[in-house]
Amino acid sequence: MSDKNKKQDPLPESLHEGDRVQPGHGDTSNDKYEEILHLIHKNGGLPVTINPVRVKLDHHDEQGHEIEGISRFIKRTRISFNSYKVIMDDILNCGLGALGEPKRVYSGECEDEKAPGVAITKEKSSSLLTNDDKVLFRNGALFSSSKAYSILKYATEKFVYTTFGLDPEDIGKPPGEVLPYIALIEAKLSDACCKCDIEFRPIFAELIWNYWHEEGMLMHSVNAIARRFQNKRSHRGNDPLANLSLDPLRPLNNLVWGYIQDANNRLTSTRMAFEYDHEYGLSLFATDGIKSKTADSRSFFIQAFHGLLYKCAAFYKEADNIFKVPDAFPVLNALREVHLVLSEGAGNQFGDLPATARAEMLLAQYILGRPETREFIGGRVMVPYDEVWMDRVDSMKTLQGWPGASISYYHDLAVYGEEILLSIRWISWTQVNNRDVAREWALIFRDAIQRYIHCYQAVTGVDLSAMEVSGSNDEKALMPSLLIGRKVQRDAMMRRR
């Protein structure tokens, strides 16, 4: 007999069709049963609580105030090459370099923008240079006949120091609020501070910015132009820069001459390589053998930093799962570890070298970004580069046969890597015991971290978000220069096939 022909058991005499069956009085779930039925009939369904990913910190909390203030200050003090180029072009056209934005100094509150950690100083001039600066460096520059280069170098250094709040004109003015991390260190030193207004002003610049641009062949490109300008051949065969002939009617000729004449006053690649190893334990792809000569190396930085990025990637996967509450405590532990490693390398040249190195590389970018360089280097006009000098570097790499990914990836590694490390260095993570602070940090810098992970894979071929491999076989702990060299060999083998 089929199921549909089976007779259903009759209902009990006390129940009629359509009546609701109640659980027995002895059932312990009776109350819950009634509550669920009430919610279903009233609201049309059962409420489901999902993971609230965003955690709002209490702004009265000192640690929450610190992380939000520094994160905003880092973003606002980032040097924009496009803004820098406009100012330098104005100076080359005999102007004073009009400043588009006011000077910013770290402080506790910003009344104008309600942004903790950023204060806008009103005592700024409307231009970068003064008339006295212009007369001195354009008409009376000593030790070099290159007036244009002299004034451009001076303006670049002043632009960098002004942007970072380290302008010598500010000395004697009351500094901004002391960072909790700096206050912690000063408390250990009885003779660290004097009673005057001249106090330590932290510079929000990291040498990792310079490191990634050097790996991207920025300085190699400028130096190759300087060598060819002096009629030096760099190849045994055909000269890739055979068309380099800079006319003396436009500024680039004078700039390159001054750049060559000022070589003794610039930081050398060897000196920079030593400092990369001192602060980050990094070695350049072109000068890998210099690492064995350094006296102090941050050999655990790569492991700690890439471990932090991996834990952040795992945290983001959990945070995107709306039915799971992510645990930020591993991120907090990793932040403490990286903070301690960075603090160990904050000595000797750490206070002065980053600003000097930034000014020199900005000037190198400006030389490459001049329209005269396109005439003999060329460039892909239709490629949407972020900054005008980038296509010159990629074109130079093609001409010289230099391997590696596009300069765009190296530039993003420099920008976002600096942003991440600044937020770790200047926040006193050893005093943070609240995992919600680490959660908020990870969410604030999520775009920077994930962009850094993507560009690192494009440059080295290693995915920092991949599952960790136990032992010494984990590629995330290897030196980036080693990975770049290995990827270059692998790409060359693929092309030969």
Side-chain angles (χ1 to χ4, degrees), residues 72 128 136 159 201 229 248 306 318 344 346 377 383:
R72 295 194 182 192
L128 185 66
L136 175 63
F159 174 81
R201 298 171 188 259
F229 187 86
H306 290 176
E318 294 183 356
E344 291 176 356
I377 293 181
V383 178

Side-chain angles (χ1 to χ4, degrees), residues 194-209:
C194 56
K195 299 301 181 181
C196 60
D197 293 330
I198 303 176
E199 295 186 8
F200 175 73
R201 298 171 188 259
I203 178 172
F204 281 77
E206 288 284 341
L207 277 182
I208 198 170
W209 187 93

Side-chain angles (χ1 to χ4, degrees), residues 20-40 46:
R20 187 174 62 188
V21 179
Q22 301 285 354
H25 294 289
D27 192 347
T28 58
S29 63
N30 183 53
D31 295 337
K32 290 294 183 182
Y33 175 82
E34 288 290 342
E35 181 181 353
I36 292 175
L37 288 179
H38 175 73
L39 291 173
I40 292 176
L46 293 175

Side-chain angles (χ1 to χ4, degrees), residues 301-343:
F301 170 79
I302 292 296
Q303 182 178 355
F305 182 50
H306 290 176
L308 168 64
L309 298 181
Y310 167 76
K311 289 180 174 61
C312 287
F315 171 81
Y316 297 144
K317 291 180 181 179
E318 294 183 356
D320 290 338
N321 186 348
I322 61 177
F323 297 103
K324 187 174 182 179
V325 177
D327 183 15
F329 204 80
V331 177
L332 177 59
N333 289 334
L335 283 168
R336 288 180 176 179
E337 184 178 356
V338 177
H339 175 72
L340 289 174
V341 175
L342 286 175
S343 62

